[in-house]
Amino acid sequence: MELQIATDGLKGKIILVTGAGDGIGRTAALTYAKHGAQIILLGRTVAKLEAVYDEILALGGLEPAIIPLDLKGATQKHYQEMADTIEAQFGHLDGLLHNASLLGTLSPFHQIDETVFDDVMQVNVKGAFLMTQPLLPLLKKSAAGRLIFTSSTVGHSGRAYWGSYAISKFATEGMMQIIADEYSNTPLRVNVINPGGTRTQMRASAYPAEDPQTLKTPEEIMPLYLYLMSAQCEETGQCFDAQPK
Ligand SMILES: NC(=O)c1ccc[n+]([C@@H]2O[C@H](COP(=O)([O-])OP(=O)(O)OC[C@H]3O[C@@H](n4cnc5c(N)ncnc54)[C@H](OP(=O)(O)O)[C@@H]3O)[C@@H](O)[C@H]2O)c1
């Protein structure tokens, strides 16, 4: 698998990135823009999205669109309206990176709080589910549609105390496999990325005693994000580690 993507490898592609205001999503949005894509920035904190918008323009990228949306409260109606707007403005969608997630609270299984469980499942699973449904017809209109979900090491191997978050990531991997199978005879490619430990706010919340300098930066894991979004990607239905052991 050759991960090298030309600097104009995503030229003119319309790519939606969720959680684009911070962490890995922010870096993915900037990286895709640097490779020629027009980015739809989705997130819950408008000021952060506007800062990424400014950064993309400053580096000479195509003007992004901003969709302020909190996946926690969003309903089917919001996602349908969003898809209608994207279709009216762009006609189709080339790529969707499901990146936004909630960590919730790490705790012993018997102490998992129902509200935390509901919030994590709502954002990480139901949000991605409801958003994907109306966007699939737009991805199918692309000559090389790419749908990427984000999981975690605890999304395919359960680990003590990772409760709601790990359960949500198992569900995410299952959702990816179902869609990949349904579209296996089409140009649409559907995969999961496991970023591995990466220097972000979420990682710092999960491992407060860890030295962040020991971790890879979001920039360092971008080759896989680029490859899976590119026309070069032929694989579908797979989970890829951005930091293989
Ligand atoms: N970092 C790691 O080590 C690591 C390891 C394995 C997997 N992952 C996965 O990688 C992805 C990115 O993680 P990260 O470390 O970059 O996390 P992060 O630094 O916490 O960034 C997450 C982004 O998602 C947004 N977001 C969270 N809840 C949202 C909601 N309800 N509606 C809309 N946007 C929301 C956040 O918005 P705000 O900016 O407004 O907070 C933020 O921009 C996640 O799926 C995570 O599970 C990360």
Side-chain angles (χ1 to χ4, degrees), residues 104-132:
T105 312
L106 304 191
S107 70
F109 189 85
H110 77 282
Q111 288 176 353
I112 295 173
D113 181 79
E114 185 183 354
T115 311
V116 172
F117 181 86
D118 285 346
D119 287 349
V120 170
M121 295 303 279
Q122 178 70 31
V123 172
N124 300 5
V125 182
K126 197 167 175 189
F129 158 66
L130 288 177
M131 190 185 301
T132 303

Side-chain angles (χ1 to χ4, degrees), residues 33-182:
K34 275 184 207 159
H35 286 74
Q38 188 161 17
I39 312 300
I40 303 169
L41 304 163
L42 186 146
R44 62 182 172 182
T45 308
V46 177
K48 290 187 182 179
L49 299 175
E50 286 175 346
V52 179
Y53 175 101
D54 289 344
E55 277 187 82
I56 289 175
L57 289 187
L59 57 85
L62 294 171
E63 185 178 10
I66 289 183
I67 299 181
L69 192 69
D70 187 337
L71 306 188
K72 198 165 127 180
T75 63
Q76 205 164 29
K77 184 170 166 285
H78 292 109
Y79 294 114
Q80 188 59 58
E81 286 172 0
M82 183 184 98
D84 292 345
T85 304
I86 293 171
E87 183 165 32
Q89 195 167 340
F90 301 107
H92 71 284
L93 187 65
D94 295 298
L96 168 56
L97 173 63
H98 284 299
N99 161 83
S101 273
L102 278 186
L103 176 65
T105 312
L106 304 191
S107 70
F109 189 85
H110 77 282
Q111 288 176 353
I112 295 173
D113 181 79
E114 185 183 354
T115 311
V116 172
F117 181 86
D118 285 346
D119 287 349
V120 170
M121 295 303 279
Q122 178 70 31
V123 172
N124 300 5
V125 182
K126 197 167 175 189
F129 158 66
L130 288 177
M131 190 185 301
T132 303
Q133 279 189 317
L135 291 179
L136 273 169
L138 300 189
L139 285 165
K140 273 185 71 185
K141 285 189 183 181
S142 167
R146 300 289 179 258
L147 173 56
I148 304 173
F149 291 86
T150 307
S151 186
S152 161
T153 305
V154 297
H156 38 264
S157 179
R159 193 187 302 159
Y161 315 126
W162 282 78
S164 315
Y165 178 81
I167 294 168
S168 79
K169 294 300 188 183
F170 269 82
T172 298
E173 295 199 12
M175 182 155 41
M176 175 279 287
Q177 289 178 17
I178 291 162
I179 303 169
D181 200 29
E182 289 185 14

